[in-house]
Amino acid sequence: MGIIELKMFKEKIRQSITETFKLLGQFKWYILPYIAFYIVLISFYLSPSPKQYNIWMNKEWFVYDKSIYLALTKLMLVIFALLFLVGTSNMRNHPMLAKIIFLSSLYFIAVFLEIL
């Protein structure tokens, strides 16, 4: 690889990075609520409490078990991280789908905090 080819490669990488950040800038108001929701999930994982296990709290079969709570919260963290990657991968070709994915966090935060 010659010096000229290396410079061209570096320039392509730089252009790609700047285009990616411009695209992320267009979606910032959709991504910020999703990141806030993910921070809430991380706080639930780091400080387990029966109060945060509120989805099934009013059911007669409800039993709080810390290990089950941590496993479910870890599973939700993985699922929502993967969903975030699906949203970011669809920003360029399917922007409406990406917006729907990112805005779904508003619904889920309402469900997890029992606002609905």
Side-chain angles (χ1 to χ4, degrees):
M1 195 177 232
I3 294 174
I4 295 173
E5 291 172 347
L6 187 60
K7 286 182 181 179
M8 289 174 48
F9 180 71
K10 285 182 180 180
E11 184 61 31
K12 278 188 175 182
I13 295 290
R14 188 176 303 122
Q15 286 177 352
S16 175
I17 289 172
T18 57
E19 287 176 11
T20 302
F21 278 111
K22 285 180 185 177
L23 188 61
L24 285 173
Q26 294 173 1
F27 281 83
K28 67 182 170 194
W29 297 114
Y30 299 99
I31 293 175
L32 288 176
Y34 200 91
I35 291 173
F37 165 69
Y38 203 76
I39 290 171
V40 168
L41 274 182
I42 289 173
S43 71
F44 283 0
Y45 182 72
L46 294 177
S47 60
S49 168
K51 293 178 186 176
Q52 297 164 349
Y53 205 59
N54 57 14
I55 296 175
W56 298 288
M57 185 75 83
N58 297 328
K59 305 293 184 195
E60 58 274 355
W61 48 265
F62 170 77
V63 176
Y64 176 76
D65 185 14
K66 192 173 184 177
S67 61
I68 293 174
Y69 174 79
L70 289 175
L72 283 173
T73 308
K74 189 186 297 185
L75 180 64
M76 284 191 296
L77 284 169
V78 169
I79 288 170
F80 285 109
L82 292 174
L83 196 59
F84 180 79
L85 291 176
V86 168
T88 55
S89 67
N90 283 305
M91 286 191 313
R92 185 166 313 214
N93 296 329
H94 306 288
M96 186 59 78
L97 177 64
K99 290 176 184 178
I100 290 170
I101 289 171
F102 293 138
L103 289 178
S104 70
S105 65
L106 297 175
Y107 170 75
F108 288 115
I109 201 163
V111 168
F112 290 145
L113 296 178
E114 274 195 28
I115 296 173
L116 292 179

